Amino acid sequence: MIDTVVRLACAAALATSAQALAAEPAAAPEKPSLALHGFVSATVFVQDATTGPWNGQGSLFTVAEPGTDETFLGGDLRQTRLQLAATGPAILSGRATPRALVEADFFGGNTGGAFGDESVGPRLRLAYAELVLGRTTFQVGQNHGLIFAMAPVSLAHVAFPASYAAGGIGWRFPGVMVFHRIPLAGTHALELAVSATRGSWSDADAGLPLGVSYGEASSIPQVEARAMLSGKPADRVAYSAFLVGHYDRKDLSGVGATAPEDGVDGWAAELGGKVTAGPLQLAANGWTGRAVGQLFGAIVQFGDIQGWGAWAQAGWSFTDTLSAHLFAGVDDPDDADVREAGATRLRNVSIGALTKYCEGPYTLGLEYYRYETRTVTGTRTADQGSLTAMYAF
């Protein structure tokens, strides 16, 4: 888990997780170690409409189409990421290895004023301590939810993957996670994981009772369970497949008050996988669920909304350094539920293409995305072209 982000920059597309799952855990060092990792990511982009939640590296769906003079040019560095990882000497009579990780990017907002857009603030992404005991890992802190099991290959959209609002769900919350790896025949392995994390919902509204979020007010954590099978049965073939379940509850009257039928149950089920066979990479993911806006479900809308989504990506490596990838995804919440919740987005379709050059720590990518978002007032489209340079360390 510790070096996953760094491998994203220039790893063989879609092939690393299967090998990592099958590998034996590393031995604990004799002395404490501390390592700084991360990447610098710079994107220059052109758009013909505004997108949400943000333009540039945060584009997921169309917000508004200008009637005239629609094209604008921008630059974005906010997904630049810093990661500090620590590993200590073995404890519990040498049976366990303690580790910790802190990770931040720069989507924390700008400082305002005339130069605020060039002075963005940091955002805490991950922060957890873990204990590796044989084939079992115990984590306490904030990590990606188990339902965020896979993301499509992209350079311009790493912090907010292209699959968000287009067939993929998941976020990160403080809590407890347990992973257990079961080696199978050959290079195959099965990983079982469970988590219990802090409840969450749309808590940006002012006036929350006593400042306690609706998810916390339910007194029930978000719980997830995942099974992931992986392996490398042939020299140039690797695969992984996963099944994830999620449940949570929100108390919409908050603490200190009661109201009839004020609880909303959220649930989701997800199935996905990926395979690499020589130069070919294929990945696909699908989910269905209800009331999971906090996981970017229902096109990032909060309400008792049923919905589903799916995405797929195909890639081809022409050489060791040059590859191309095609992406398509859809998020389709129930129209009646959207209207009843007072939301506006009814369906979002995203298609994209990436040409990537990667050598050593340096990666350069040319990307195009088109977002077609149907709302209660009509369909809006946005086109984005981008050039991204990334250096991993």
Side-chain angles (χ1 to χ4, degrees):
M1 298 290 292
I2 289 211
D3 62 343
T4 299
V5 172
V6 177
R7 292 200 307 268
L8 281 174
C10 203
L14 309 176
T16 56
S17 65
Q19 300 172 37
L21 258 180
E24 289 290 334
E30 295 183 358
K31 297 180 179 181
S33 65
L34 188 65
L36 176 65
H37 298 296
F39 57 79
V40 175
S41 173
T43 300
V44 176
F45 64 91
V46 178
Q47 291 182 209
D48 62 1
T50 58
T51 53
W54 297 282
N55 298 314
Q57 294 175 340
S59 295
L60 300 176
F61 51 84
T62 309
V63 172
E65 291 182 275
T68 185
D69 193 21
E70 68 271 12
T71 304
F72 58 94
L73 172 70
D76 204 344
L77 296 91
R78 290 173 295 174
Q79 68 184 14
T80 293
R81 192 172 299 180
L82 299 175
Q83 184 186 89
L84 191 63
T87 302
I91 61 175
L92 300 179
S93 301
R95 297 191 303 272
T97 302
R99 303 191 301 197
L101 180 144
V102 177
E103 180 181 275
D105 64 13
F106 295 88
F107 273 94
N110 61 46
T111 60
F115 306 102
D117 201 33
E118 292 81 33
S119 304
V120 296
R123 175 185 66 163
L124 180 66
R125 290 174 47 86
L126 309 179
Y128 60 82
E130 67 179 15
L131 193 63
V132 181
L133 186 60
R135 296 191 177 99
T136 304
T137 299
F138 302 89
Q139 287 185 356
V140 180
Q142 181 165 292
N143 197 354
H144 296 293
L146 299 178
I147 208 161
F148 184 73
M150 181 176 64
V153 177
S154 176
L155 289 180
H157 303 286
V158 177
F160 290 87
S163 53
Y164 274 171
I169 55 175
W171 196 238
R172 47 191 179 268
F173 308 96
V176 178
M177 292 185 175
V178 180
F179 304 84
H180 182 67
R181 188 181 58 84
I182 304 172
L184 303 176
T187 60
H188 305 276
L190 175 65
E191 183 192 71
L192 303 177
V194 294
S195 68
T197 60
R198 184 179 66 190
S200 178
W201 194 230
S202 178
D203 303 324
D205 301 329
L208 283 170
L210 304 179
V212 178
S213 76
Y214 298 128
E216 293 173 301
S218 71
S219 299
I220 298 175
Q222 301 185 79
V223 293
E224 293 183 347
R226 183 178 73 195
M228 180 177 288
L229 181 66
S230 69
K232 191 177 180 183
D235 182 47
R236 303 186 69 194
V237 176
Y239 77 92
S240 65
F242 54 86
L243 177 65
V244 194
H246 168 99
Y247 173 78
D248 71 83
R249 186 169 178 82
K250 281 78 67 171
D251 179 355
L252 300 187
S253 65
V255 296
T258 59
E261 301 181 2
D262 63 348
V264 173
D265 291 313
W267 65 270
E270 182 181 58
L271 179 66
K274 56 191 175 185
V275 61
T276 299
L280 176 66
Q281 307 100 37
L282 298 173
N285 183 87
W287 72 275
T288 184
R290 189 176 192 93
V292 286
Q294 80 277 15
L295 302 180
F296 277 64
I299 322 179
V300 205
Q301 297 178 113
F302 296 87
D304 193 6
I305 302 172
Q306 179 88 24
W308 68 275
W311 66 265
Q313 186 176 56
W316 185 270
S317 296
F318 300 101
T319 68
D320 291 339
T321 58
L322 183 65
S323 63
H325 308 266
L326 297 175
F327 169 86
V330 59
D331 194 324
D332 192 5
D334 182 83
D335 291 7
D337 288 347
V338 170
R339 289 185 169 92
E340 185 175 348
T344 61
R345 294 185 287 274
L346 302 176
R347 180 183 174 92
N348 186 60
V349 175
S350 175
I351 60 172
L354 162 68
T355 299
K356 183 179 70 169
Y357 173 83
C358 180
E359 186 171 356
Y362 185 79
T363 310
L364 191 67
L366 188 63
E367 263 171 289
Y368 166 79
Y369 282 92
R370 179 176 178 85
Y371 309 100
E372 184 176 291
T373 308
R374 182 164 61 88
T375 73
V376 295
T377 59
T379 299
R380 305 163 183 173
T381 62
D383 296 278
Q384 181 193 78
S386 65
L387 177 66
T388 300
M390 180 182 293
Y391 183 92
F393 56 89

